[in-house]
Amino acid sequence: MGRTVAVVGGGYGGAAVAKALDEETDVVLVEPKDAFVHAAGSLRALVRPEWAGNIFFPYARLLRRGTVVRERAVSADAGGVTLASGRRVDADYLVLASGSTYPYPAKMDTDDSGEARERLRATHKGLADATRVLITGAGPVGLELSGEIKAVWPDKHVTVIDPVGELVPGFAPEMRADLRRQLDALGVEVRLGTTLLTPPPTEPGEPRPFTADVTGGTISADIWFRCHGVRPNSDYLDGTLTTARNARGQVRVTEKLNVDGHDRAYAIGDLTDLDEAKMAGHAMRHAEVVAQNILAQVRGEPPAAIYEPSRINAILLPLGPTGGVGQMPSPDGPAVLSALAVSERKGTDLYTGRFTALFGTA
């Protein structure tokens, strides 16, 4: 059996698994972007353009032995990957780490880091000039964006709307109460049970004053952002891999993170059907399990690493560098974190330090 591993996607999980396999296998990482984008920092880069240097990490130093192929995968089957150029990458092992799409600015919508920085700068200018901001989606991304905006422009009017009836359901009541308290203190207007009935006349992030119909009335704003609508990137799956997709486009995986029905194909991150929040930390934990199992197989041993999703929802939700709420698993149930703890763990640097180490840019 050979040692070639094709990894489709160089995001959080893909980059981590490629790095972990680099010493003992022949890794080919397929990724169309010219640099890894640390999406957790993109919202801060929007409000503080000088911070954008912290979210783009070139792939040049990620692998010592392996290869990074800057192309898009148009087809993947159990035996390898076909690229947009027509080139075929045959592989003994396959790791699907192509993640998901999500609206800008939480995720970049270009493969060129230079273009992404220019887009952030242009959007920043429009946001800076705006008096009223509308955010659709009161999930973690929308709320985090509202906190980042308020940290830079405390007097800007920020409204967050969502059709749901309660704020971040599924988390501890005391955490949710603290979240509401902090949002109120920041002056963020949260309107739950509210749906956008007429689309704004601009694309998200493009400045132009407008008034839109919503449930129970209207909302006026100078710029708006869509913070909802995640979709797995799985349309390129081919051959027998297609039977592992569920109705939502997610890939069914086993406890060892094998693609259902395939002992040498794996899936990690947002692509999987695991019942857990789609978070970078989970994708990187998936990468550890998959790396252990592939290395065992390469050595002729049975793969034994198992991924166990947490039974308790975990979250670190910064509201700017110094605010935010959090919940982590503990032996006694969910442990609620203070704003100070969230700031120390995530809010201050948004984990940039760990990626300078991963990508050898320290």
Side-chain angles (χ1 to χ4, degrees):
M1 187 68 188
R3 304 160 57 89
T4 300
V5 184
V7 180
V8 183
Y12 290 105
V17 77
K19 184 87 164 184
L21 293 169
D22 189 39
E23 290 297 320
E24 296 188 48
T25 69
D26 300 320
V27 176
V28 180
L29 176 62
V30 178
E31 168 56 56
K33 289 183 169 59
D34 66 346
F36 169 85
V37 183
H38 177 33
S42 60
L43 301 181
R44 187 159 302 168
L46 172 66
V47 302
R48 304 173 190 265
E50 71 280 2
W51 217 81
N54 294 322
I55 71 170
F56 297 102
F57 296 87
Y59 287 102
R61 297 183 183 176
L62 175 66
L63 304 178
R64 190 179 66 85
R65 298 179 63 256
T67 304
V68 179
V69 177
R70 193 189 167 193
E71 280 203 57
R72 188 170 300 279
V74 296
S75 176
D77 55 55
V81 184
T82 302
L83 309 179
S85 64
R87 175 185 169 187
R88 173 74 177 176
V89 178
D90 292 318
D92 305 294
Y93 301 91
L94 180 68
V95 182
L96 304 174
S98 46
S100 60
T101 58
Y102 195 87
Y104 169 85
K107 287 191 176 182
M108 298 300 109
D109 52 7
T110 173
D111 293 336
D112 183 280
S113 57
E115 290 180 3
R117 289 190 192 215
E118 286 299 321
R119 177 93 192 271
L120 283 168
R121 279 192 284 268
T123 309
H124 169 82
K125 184 180 185 309
L127 177 57
D129 293 341
T131 301
R132 302 158 301 175
V133 182
L134 171 64
I135 297 171
T136 62
V141 175
L143 297 178
E144 188 169 333
L145 176 57
S146 74
E148 292 290 346
I149 292 171
K150 281 290 190 175
V152 175
W153 300 286
D155 297 329
K156 208 176 286 294
H157 189 269
V158 179
T159 302
V160 183
I161 67 170
D162 200 298
V164 301
E166 56 181 337
L167 205 58
V168 290
F171 290 93
E174 54 267 43
M175 191 208 85
R176 297 171 58 229
D178 188 32
L179 175 60
R180 173 64 81 170
R181 181 191 62 77
Q182 290 188 49
L183 290 168
D184 289 345
L186 289 170
V188 175
E189 181 185 3
V190 179
R191 294 172 60 172
L192 302 179
T194 302
T195 300
L196 194 62
L197 300 177
T198 57
T202 61
E203 290 297 308
E206 294 182 3
R208 177 181 165 187
F210 66 89
T211 299
D213 293 328
V214 298
T215 308
T218 62
I219 286 181
S220 296
D222 304 304
I223 193 170
W224 75 291
F225 297 96
R226 180 186 291 119
C227 294
H228 58 90
V230 64
R231 185 175 66 84
N233 290 325
S234 63
D235 291 346
Y236 66 96
L237 299 185
D238 204 355
T240 56
L241 295 179
T242 59
T243 61
R245 292 176 68 198
N246 65 19
R248 291 183 291 176
Q250 299 166 324
V251 176
R252 292 188 299 274
V253 293
T254 69
E255 62 182 2
K256 296 178 182 179
L257 300 182
N258 288 100
V259 176
D260 188 30
H262 297 80
D263 61 358
R264 290 190 175 89
Y266 295 84
I268 61 179
D270 289 4
L271 202 62
T272 66
D273 69 339
L274 294 168
D275 185 20
E276 60 185 4
K278 302 307 181 185
M279 297 166 57
H282 289 155
M284 297 180 80
R285 285 178 56 215
H286 299 170
E288 293 176 8
V289 170
V290 168
Q292 290 176 42
N293 284 334
I294 291 178
L295 289 174
Q297 289 174 294
V298 167
R299 296 166 187 155
E301 303 165 1
I306 291 174
Y307 181 75
E308 296 183 9
S310 172
R311 296 187 182 89
I312 295 174
N313 288 334
I315 193 171
L316 291 172
L317 199 169
L319 294 172
T322 60
V325 296
Q327 175 177 302
M328 301 298 287
S330 79
D332 300 321
V336 175
L337 305 181
S338 67
L340 177 61
V342 173
S343 175
E344 290 175 344
R345 290 187 182 209
K346 181 181 180 183
T348 301
D349 78 339
L350 299 176
Y351 301 138
T352 54
R354 70 175 60 177
F355 296 104
T356 58
L358 180 66
F359 288 90
T361 58

